[in-house]
Amino acid sequence: MSSPSQRPRRRPVPRLGVRLSDDGIDVAVFASHATGVDLCLIDGSETSSDPTTWTERRVPLDGPELGVWWAHVPGVRVGQRYGFRVHGPWEPASGQRHNPAKLLVDPYARGLVGELGYGPETYGHVVDDDLAGDPAGPADPRDSRGSVPLGVVVDTRYAARRPPRPHVPWSQTVIYEAHVRGLTIGFPGVPADLRGTYAGLAHPATIAHLQSLGVTTLELLPIQASASEPHLVQKGLTNYWGYNTLGFFAPHAAYATAAAREAGAGAVLAEVKGMVDRLHEAGIEVVLDVVYNHTAEGPVEGQHLSWRGLDNPAYYLHDGWYPATLADVTGCGNSLDFRRPQVVRTALDSLRYWTEAVGVDGFRFDLAVTLARGADGFDPGHPFLMTLQTAPSMHGIKLIAEPWDVGPGGWQTGRFPPPLAEWNDRFRNAVRSFWLADPAQAAHGLPGHGVRELATRLAGSADLFGYSEPPGIRGPMASVNYVTSHDGFTMADLVAYDHKHNHANGEANRDGSNDNRSWNHGLEGPVRVDSLGAEILPLRRRSIRNLMSTLLLSAGTPMLTAGDELGRTQGGNNNAYCHDSPVSWVEWDLTEWRGNLLATTRHLLALRRDHAALQGTRFFVGRPWAEGTRRDLSWFAADGTALDHGRWHDPQVRTMQMLRSAPAHPGRPVSPDAGESAVLVVVNGSLDEAEVVLADDRPTTWELVWDSTWEHPAERDAVASANGGVLAENGSAVTVEPLSVRVYVAQES
């Protein structure tokens, strides 16, 4: 291979990574502290898994210029496997950890093949067979080739005509958080060879389930290439969730079908693109959970795989002391330093690639506070956030922040700028407390909370998201409401366990949150219908329906966790990140009560979809939205009178009515003549039944459309045929069961 002096000199390729050209490839990599970088072309690995049979051609790169090394390499085509070797000082005390014995993964690789090994050769410093060693000690001379994944040259062009993006408005958005493998691995409606894959996710049976629910937006746990931590591998476990990134551009090959993996990295990418296309054809958006806050290399004593060997001082957040020590604000051993332009550039390049080349519709940023940390901590005006607001490639893309990390000042819910939405942990806590923790306390004669906090969450959390410039511009849809997520108890486990049961994680039950706000209703764990304690099962099921209805009927953007609509359980494990097993997979075996819950979830989402009053895009102001209409939001006590200051703050008041009103046809000119949508939600959070006087400020006929005491929505038919039926006049008294929710819709006059 020609030396740098023999090749025509070219300007550095402005875009990093390896890209096809007419006669070969252009390659560029950032390594600002290096003295030399070799592109290593690996041959023979396609036909043999034995690294000793591979050949390695090393191409010294030109540079550096502004920290970038580059070359044009003719004759290299699609499918070529490669890595980098980086030369430079080994000075751990100053943070420089160059070790050319280690074959490094290209952070910009569009495809990766091969498994990560966990032997001593994957460490930059010398470790023993137990992987113990001094990270400030000498460099390890063993070659890591054969123990690290290889980059693959991939043609990222997509010749087929692609369907348009759905562009679902935030007011109509219903998010469904799912794991590619876990959603369909046990789904009998999907062919066996497609289960647990990208293709299985896009199978008509999977899409039909999502459509039947009313899901508009599928939020996928990380699908960027990831790896398991060494301590999990030693325990025989795996990082199932995938929050341990090894490549920001390559899809995780393990989620592709066996046929695609056999065909190569290009076929894996094509399967991902095909998944996105099939979902778009069904009107469903695809949002990716992305992890730009840390990498799979772990703490300073961790593996030497990519960024650490390329440019450790430029990529990772350090504490500023000498010897150099990593600053960990993610709890994962390392944190990427978003004060550094190259880190910001990498994240933005990755986002553009996934939107433009793959076609995804948005991103949920894991531990997003880390991505906006400047010299003085979290900065709402951080360059990364400013670019998200202004870059043309981000226009119309859904952006969602997980608004915290574990560093100083790490909780920042409500402080991210538009157009970002945010996970609302205050919603989660308030709903769990009201329906579970408080009744558990009350059952023992202990005080709980009143209705004030729950009402604030039902109304869209203006206390968190209303403070902006101009005020209120973000609207309630900026609040991504959730009761459960991948992290924590499932909804079924919230009503069956008072305590976490994480012993299978191998950490003596120390991991996972202790603030679960759950309630086992008197017995810990599963209860059989024919066993002692079976009398609590109806109340457990009602509690699930209370949680589900509060989630789906609140102002804001609802996020449903995959399997909650089917009563999925993790056996009390609230940190199942390390289990690629039935513990974490969606259970599709529909017993009677699970089928009823599925029907209930569909019914509640249909109510939200069919009634404009449940789709508010603006914060409520408590005034009529047009002359002669109801106020957009009103609160009433059980006796039908307006909630006054004393009752708002009384922890003994556990019953209230929420009346929401909106134009029946959003988007049309605001006029009372165009029709009005009005919904009355009655909440009884006490342990006793309550007599409730249905409230309104005008004569109204209310139709009962749902009651959380119903095991199945079809029970409405029995109520309709019974004495009294489902219609009630404004001002009439109705009896509301303990711990239940009722939904009434105003009949059109």
Side-chain angles (χ1 to χ4, degrees), residues 451-465:
V451 297
R452 183 166 60 107
E453 176 77 3
L454 182 71
T456 303
R457 305 305 148 216
L458 282 166
S461 297
D463 61 327
L464 297 173
F465 301 100

Side-chain angles (χ1 to χ4, degrees), residues 288-299:
L288 302 185
D289 198 335
V290 287
V291 185
Y292 297 125
N293 58 78
H294 76 284
T295 78
E297 292 187 305

Side-chain angles (χ1 to χ4, degrees), residues 500-573:
K500 64 186 182 185
H501 295 264
N502 297 353
H503 296 89
N505 297 1
E507 298 184 40
N509 208 38
R510 292 188 300 269
D511 63 309
S513 175
N514 293 315
D515 183 19
N516 296 297
R517 308 185 189 208
S518 56
W519 180 28
N520 65 16
H521 294 74
L523 289 173
E524 186 77 354
V527 175
R528 294 178 45 169
V529 295
D530 57 352
S531 67
L532 183 67
E535 64 275 6
I536 68 173
L537 293 177
L539 185 53
R540 280 185 175 181
R541 296 194 294 268
R542 186 189 301 181
S543 290
I544 294 176
R545 294 190 293 270
N546 290 334
L547 296 171
M548 187 71 76
S549 62
T550 307
L551 169 65
L552 301 183
L553 300 177
S554 292
T557 302
M559 185 185 80
L560 181 65
T561 304
D564 273 352
E565 77 278 19
L566 305 168
R568 184 176 79 88
T569 177
Q570 293 180 166
N573 192 319

Side-chain angles (χ1 to χ4, degrees), residues 431 433-443 448-451 454 519 539 542-543 546 550 638 651-657 682-690 692 708 736-742:
V431 174
S433 292
F434 186 85
W435 289 118
L436 300 176
D438 286 354
Q441 292 275 90
H449 302 82
V451 297
L454 182 71
W519 180 28
L539 185 53
R542 186 189 301 181
S543 290
N546 290 334
T550 307
Q652 302 302 316
V653 173
R654 299 273 298 169
T655 305
M656 67 177 176
Q657 303 179 70
V682 181
V683 172
N684 182 14
S686 69
L687 298 182
D688 301 308
E689 66 180 27
V692 175
S708 69
V736 181
E737 293 296 311
L739 298 178
S740 69
V741 178
R742 282 191 174 190

